[in-house]
Amino acid sequence: MKITPEIEERLRLLDEKYAASGQDLVSYLDGLLYEDYLKYWHYIELDTLLSLQKPRTNFPDEEIFIIYHQITELYFKLTLNEMCNLSKRNDFGSAFFLERIERIVRYFQALISSFEVMVNGMDTKEFMKFRMALLPASGFQSAQYRKIEILSTRLNNLVDLAHREEFINSENIEEVYAHIYWKRGAIDLKSGKKTLTLLQFEERYDKELSEYAARIKGATLWDKFKMLPETDQENKLIIETLRKFDLCVNVDWPLAHYKSAVRYLHSKSGDVEATGGTNWQKYLPPRFQKRIFFPELWSEDEQENWGRAWVEEALKEVALTKNPHAE
Ligand code: HEM
């Protein structure tokens, strides 16, 4: 074999690399010699991935429900990767910031446009049965979803709407965290008690999430935006992209999700209780919660009418799916 100048150069660079950490190049070349070729299915851990669906009933459609939740959690992970990266860094310019927000928007758009897999993709009779085997678990207990919210905005903006004004300027993270909307949303209105779904979520994640919120204070997406040069904070494209992100997470995704709750849990003879036990008709629609990550980027009128038009449209669509001859 001919040792070309290219090979010689690579050997020299490798020798430098290993010598820098006191390693012996020849031993590593031996490793290369004995190593097997990388295979696609090993690299992406395909067998493990495909073994992670463990239905609790024999209804075939339960697997659709599990897989689509898993797909969503993976997109949440992609989102969090970008957000954590931005949160940790202070050395980026506006172009980088914009590019990363655009990535996140793309992930959420993929989730929003694929939610039909849930809304129209399961047999209602099967769903109504297998869901009973899942009590009291609920997507409500998605910690990644909560982390996305915490990383996006000042925690004060996540306080339950009824108390938001009261805590809007509080710097006490513990106090603000205690009034976060999801805790309020999972209190049984009649008894005033927390639902089991919330109690279990708190036991598993409360400490982790409140500490996380304290750590992230001052390094949320909003804080990073405010660190950009002032002229860039006026940049239309950046503002539009942040607004798009706000709408994706706080209106379009919740609405796509709400459609599935309406589709399966709403009935003329009386709505079905959710597995997490919230008053879902009031808890899920964006217009009641008015969660807004970046209120500074919306007019008062836009905030006042948050999510209103979308919900009305959705209810019309669902009515049409159930009865195509309505209207
Ligand atoms: C047929 C499909 C679905 C139905 C009927 C449904 C229903 C519900 C209901 C009723 C709630 C309110 C909490 C409760 O009382 O349980 C909820 C919350 C939630 N679900 Fe789903 N869900 C569905 C699919 C999904 C999927 C695929 C995900 C993806 C991870 C998901 C994630 C969430 C999240 C993050 C919350 C909390 C939302 C918030 O706090 O505003 N859900 N779901």
Side-chain angles (χ1 to χ4, degrees), residues 169-181:
N169 292 317
S170 170
E171 292 294 330
N172 182 338
I173 287 284
E174 242 176 76
E175 173 186 73
V176 177
Y177 182 82
H179 288 86
I180 215 148
Y181 78 87

Side-chain angles (χ1 to χ4, degrees), residues 82-145:
E82 294 304 337
M83 296 179 97
C84 290
N85 185 17
L86 277 176
S87 174
K88 281 185 206 137
R89 290 178 57 167
N90 293 314
D91 60 343
F92 53 80
S94 307
F96 182 84
F97 181 79
L98 176 63
E99 193 187 288
R100 299 310 163 110
I101 307 294
E102 281 173 342
R103 282 190 187 182
I104 297 173
V105 167
R106 235 174 269 129
Y107 300 145
F108 262 85
Q109 283 173 337
L111 285 176
I112 293 158
S113 62
S114 64
F115 220 107
E116 284 296 307
V117 170
M118 288 282 95
V119 180
N120 287 313
M122 292 182 296
D123 181 280
T124 309
K125 285 200 193 91
E126 285 193 22
F127 177 77
M128 295 312 281
K129 288 183 183 139
F130 72 69
R131 68 187 287 279
M132 301 315 286
L134 317 180
L135 290 161
S138 164
F140 177 92
Q141 297 172 318
S142 166
Q144 290 207 105
Y145 188 74

Side-chain angles (χ1 to χ4, degrees), residues 40-242:
Y40 166 79
W41 55 92
H42 285 158
Y43 180 59
I44 66 150
E45 294 279 3
L46 190 60
D47 290 345
T48 309
L49 185 65
L50 300 182
S51 73
L52 295 175
Q53 294 73 42
K54 300 193 173 70
R56 292 170 64 93
T57 69
N58 287 325
F59 296 108
D61 282 8
E62 190 187 345
E63 197 154 322
I64 305 173
F65 192 66
I66 296 175
I67 292 177
Y68 191 71
H69 276 82
Q70 291 176 334
I71 290 169
T72 305
E73 290 290 347
L74 287 174
Y75 271 106
F76 286 170
K77 183 168 180 182
L78 285 172
T79 303
L80 282 170
N81 284 348
E82 294 304 337
M83 296 179 97
C84 290
N85 185 17
L86 277 176
S87 174
K88 281 185 206 137
R89 290 178 57 167
N90 293 314
D91 60 343
F92 53 80
S94 307
F96 182 84
F97 181 79
L98 176 63
E99 193 187 288
R100 299 310 163 110
I101 307 294
E102 281 173 342
R103 282 190 187 182
I104 297 173
V105 167
R106 235 174 269 129
Y107 300 145
F108 262 85
Q109 283 173 337
L111 285 176
I112 293 158
S113 62
S114 64
F115 220 107
E116 284 296 307
V117 170
M118 288 282 95
V119 180
N120 287 313
M122 292 182 296
D123 181 280
T124 309
K125 285 200 193 91
E126 285 193 22
F127 177 77
M128 295 312 281
K129 288 183 183 139
F130 72 69
R131 68 187 287 279
M132 301 315 286
L134 317 180
L135 290 161
S138 164
F140 177 92
Q141 297 172 318
S142 166
Q144 290 207 105
Y145 188 74
R146 305 303 175 207
K147 282 188 176 172
I148 290 172
E149 296 180 308
I150 291 171
L151 266 161
S152 295
T153 182
R154 283 181 73 228
L155 200 65
N156 312 56
N157 290 328
L158 299 177
V159 166
D160 171 55
L161 188 59
H163 296 90
R164 202 170 295 159
E165 267 315 301
E166 196 183 325
F167 293 102
I168 202 67
N169 292 317
S170 170
E171 292 294 330
N172 182 338
I173 287 284
E174 242 176 76
E175 173 186 73
V176 177
Y177 182 82
H179 288 86
I180 215 148
Y181 78 87
W182 72 71
K183 285 174 181 276
R184 173 94 187 156
I187 289 177
D188 184 275
L189 292 180
K190 275 185 235 138
S191 66
K193 284 190 182 153
K194 291 180 179 183
T195 61
L196 179 58
T197 305
L198 175 60
L199 285 171
Q200 291 185 338
F201 182 65
E202 285 183 338
E203 192 178 305
R204 169 67 179 80
Y205 287 112
D206 235 14
K207 186 168 180 296
E208 183 181 327
L209 287 179
S210 59
E211 284 174 4
Y212 191 66
R215 239 189 2 263
I216 291 304
K217 190 168 181 262
T220 65
L221 221 54
W222 178 250
D223 298 301
K224 296 293 162 174
F225 169 66
K226 296 307 283 177
M227 283 176 199
L228 297 180
E230 266 178 30
T231 47
D232 290 332
Q233 288 180 39
E234 308 278 308
N235 180 305
K236 280 208 177 89
L237 189 55
I238 297 185
I239 292 179
E240 253 335 289
T241 312
L242 281 172

